Amino acid sequence: MKGKKILLGITGGIAAYKIAFLIRLLKKEEAEVKCIMTSASCDFISPLTIATLSENPVFIDFWNHKDGVWTNHVDLGLWPDLFLIAPLTANTLAKLANGYCDNLLTATYLSAKCPVFIAPAMDLDMYIHPTTVQNITTLVSYGVNVFPAEDGFLASGLLGKGRMTEPEDLVLRLSEFFQVKNELKGQKFLVTAGPTYEHIDPVRFIGNHSTGKMGYAIVEELIKRGAEVILVSGPTNIKLNHPSLKTVKITTADEMLLEVKKYWSDCTFGVFSAAVADYKPEVVEEQKIKKKEEEIVLKLVKNPDVLGWAGKNKTTKQFLVGFALETNDAIQNATRKIEAKNLDLIILNSLENEGAGFGYDTNRVTLISKQNQVVEFPLKSKKELAKDIVKILSLQK
Ligand code: CTP
């Protein structure tokens, strides 16, 4: 992290005492550190300690009461390569999520243009309160990176989630962040994610349990590595905003195909992770079906194969990745799909393991290439898996 400019925002939680260690570690890594403290944080750790360790004046107020000098929060926001707010209390979190700027730290956050990281720390009931969860989700949707609170003993005497990520881990993750190169800069990815819903009538549909987590994790990782992404997404609860991301929301497979047809020829990579419904009702009733009959028969017809279309319309310069979910003869079936859909790589999902598949945060996959190379990954978080997958993709440019 030599020469990296790191702005640390410190808010008023007991974990503020650990920031002294964090600054020491950052300085050891030869980073340049400046700190903004909220007035509440000064009750937990002395500004003198922070100033001494960071070797820079500490910023607390908009203006210095002694000499009347104004601290320019805009300049401060533009200075760093990275802004880390640690510990982040529930109170400041709520302010950040709602655009308040009633102190130097929150105003600087609004002015900052660099990547922002937060390390929340609070008591466990505060941490799991829906308001806190929503506020964190909001910040994530604005592109803020979160070091989730960890399990352990809390200052209140309770045991649970709420501890700030340890300084050593924070430094490790930040140095990892700086090491990730923009190796996918200039590459344009078309990603499909989430389920499709096929209308039966104005209020009913046929759908599936896909949450879109795997596809969205891949999108996040692609963006981190500098790629430009067009995401064609079925209905999900995940929100992701980034200047390099264009999200197109669709509902049905037909709509997905329409959007893919618009963008595919412009892209260098396709990653088709959506759980597209294979069949749709032949007729979509205009009015809600009333329950008159004892039984009704719903005739289903095949949906277009979106990935199959992209494979048929692929140039030699494009690299296409599909997903497969097989319950038997997995490798043979997945390999057959590579040929049938003209893919370069297929990612085979396993439902056999506890913790893998729809709705879980973890997954277990096997990658099979067109050249028949097979790479098996152990059960890991979808985010970690996304890293592995994107690393492999970045070798294919
Ligand atoms: N796919 C698609 N459009 C469809 C169906 C699937 O784009 N109408 C894509 C998925 O996004 C995924 C891959 O194709 O990348 C899955 O292949 P598919 O042959 O549909 O797998 P299964 O649904 O498992 O098919 P089968 O029932 O033939 O095993």
Side-chain angles (χ1 to χ4, degrees):
M1 279 198 273
K2 189 169 180 174
K4 293 289 179 209
K5 295 181 197 141
I6 297 186
L7 184 62
L8 267 182
I10 308 168
T11 73
I14 182 64
Y17 83 91
K18 293 187 182 173
I19 300 309
F21 301 104
L22 177 65
I23 297 172
R24 284 290 294 272
L25 292 170
L26 289 171
K27 295 295 289 184
K28 254 195 201 161
E29 295 274 338
E30 298 183 66
E32 202 181 329
V33 181
K34 289 186 181 177
C35 298
I36 309 177
M37 298 179 73
T38 61
S39 51
S41 74
C42 302
D43 290 335
F44 291 93
I45 186 160
S46 138
L48 182 59
T49 308
I50 299 295
T52 309
L53 293 173
S54 67
E55 298 173 45
N56 266 315
V58 170
F59 304 99
I60 300 169
D61 294 315
F62 280 110
W63 63 284
N64 188 319
H65 295 250
K66 278 194 196 126
D67 55 18
V69 174
W70 181 57
T71 306
N72 187 335
H73 61 87
V74 177
D75 283 351
L76 207 49
L78 297 180
W79 173 78
D81 296 308
L82 186 150
F83 187 10
L84 167 65
I85 306 172
L88 175 63
T89 56
N91 184 44
T92 300
L93 168 67
K95 289 183 186 179
L96 299 182
N98 290 286
Y100 282 57
C101 49
D102 59 349
N103 63 39
L104 187 62
L105 195 157
T106 50
T108 306
Y109 164 74
L110 279 186
S111 313
K113 286 200 169 157
C114 62
V116 178
F117 287 73
I118 56 170
M122 61 199 76
D123 216 23
L124 83 167
D125 291 321
M126 296 168 82
Y127 190 64
I128 57 174
H129 193 281
T131 312
T132 306
V133 173
Q134 182 56 49
N135 287 336
I136 291 178
T137 309
T138 302
L139 288 187
V140 170
S141 78
Y142 298 154
V144 170
N145 303 280
V146 184
F147 297 117
E150 293 178 355
D151 266 315
F153 279 106
L154 303 169
S156 61
L158 295 173
L159 183 65
K161 241 188 186 70
R163 288 169 66 90
M164 187 184 81
T165 305
E166 292 299 333
E168 290 81 356
D169 294 338
L170 289 174
V171 172
L172 187 70
R173 296 284 302 278
L174 296 185
S175 61
E176 254 176 38
F177 170 80
F178 283 119
Q179 273 159 25
V180 172
K181 291 184 213 84
N182 274 348
E183 64 227 64
L184 289 175
K185 205 162 183 65
Q187 302 293 329
K188 208 165 175 181
F189 280 72
L190 179 60
V191 179
T192 69
T196 64
Y197 288 175
E198 307 300 330
H199 305 298
I200 298 172
D201 67 15
V203 291
R204 301 182 181 96
F205 62 83
I206 297 175
N208 59 64
H209 292 297
S210 166
T211 54
K213 278 182 186 166
M214 191 68 241
Y216 275 73
I218 291 175
V219 169
E220 251 189 280
E221 207 48 46
L222 291 171
I223 292 170
K224 276 186 196 158
R225 287 168 189 268
E228 209 183 311
V229 182
I230 295 160
L231 168 64
V232 181
S233 171
T236 73
N237 291 325
I238 313 172
K239 289 187 191 121
L240 204 57
N241 287 312
H242 193 278
S244 308
L245 172 66
K246 178 184 172 76
T247 305
V248 185
K249 290 275 189 183
I250 55 88
T251 307
T252 65
D254 284 318
E255 289 166 9
M256 181 173 275
L257 179 63
L258 213 65
E259 297 302 329
V260 164
K261 281 183 173 174
K262 266 190 219 164
Y263 297 107
W264 178 223
S265 62
D266 228 20
C267 296
T268 38
F269 283 85
V271 181
F272 285 44
S273 69
V276 186
D278 288 331
Y279 293 91
K280 63 180 172 190
E282 185 178 40
V283 179
V284 181
E285 298 296 338
E286 278 180 23
Q287 307 298 333
K288 185 180 166 213
I289 301 170
K290 301 295 283 179
K291 54 172 181 312
K292 284 186 280 196
E293 316 297 335
E294 270 315 299
E295 40 178 65
I296 57 167
V297 176
L298 204 58
K299 184 169 176 195
L300 302 179
V301 292
K302 236 189 188 159
N303 254 330
D305 186 337
V306 184
L307 177 63
W309 180 88
K312 272 202 195 94
N313 293 279
K314 188 180 76 164
T315 66
T316 47
K317 293 206 171 82
Q318 289 175 306
F319 191 93
L320 186 57
V321 184
F323 277 71
L325 191 138
E326 307 288 346
T327 49
N328 58 297
D329 301 328
I331 302 271
Q332 291 93 313
N333 283 335
T335 309
R336 227 171 281 141
K337 269 177 202 165
I338 295 181
E339 205 170 316
K341 301 199 187 200
N342 193 22
L343 308 179
D344 298 284
L345 187 77
I346 197 153
I347 300 174
L348 172 62
N349 274 292
S350 162
L351 272 189
E352 284 162 27
N353 290 69
E354 182 65 21
F358 288 145
Y360 284 104
D361 285 329
T362 48
N363 209 4
R364 183 169 177 268
V365 303
T366 304
L367 266 54
I368 308 168
S369 75
K370 190 166 71 177
Q371 294 79 14
N372 226 357
Q373 294 154 310
V374 178
V375 185
E376 247 182 85
F377 290 104
L379 185 74
K380 30 170 110 184
S381 78
K382 286 183 177 170
K383 288 200 184 265
E384 287 303 313
L385 208 48
K387 267 189 205 161
D388 293 335
I389 292 170
V390 170
K391 256 185 226 158
I392 288 178
L393 293 183
S394 54
L395 299 174
Q396 313 298 327
K397 294 178 292 167

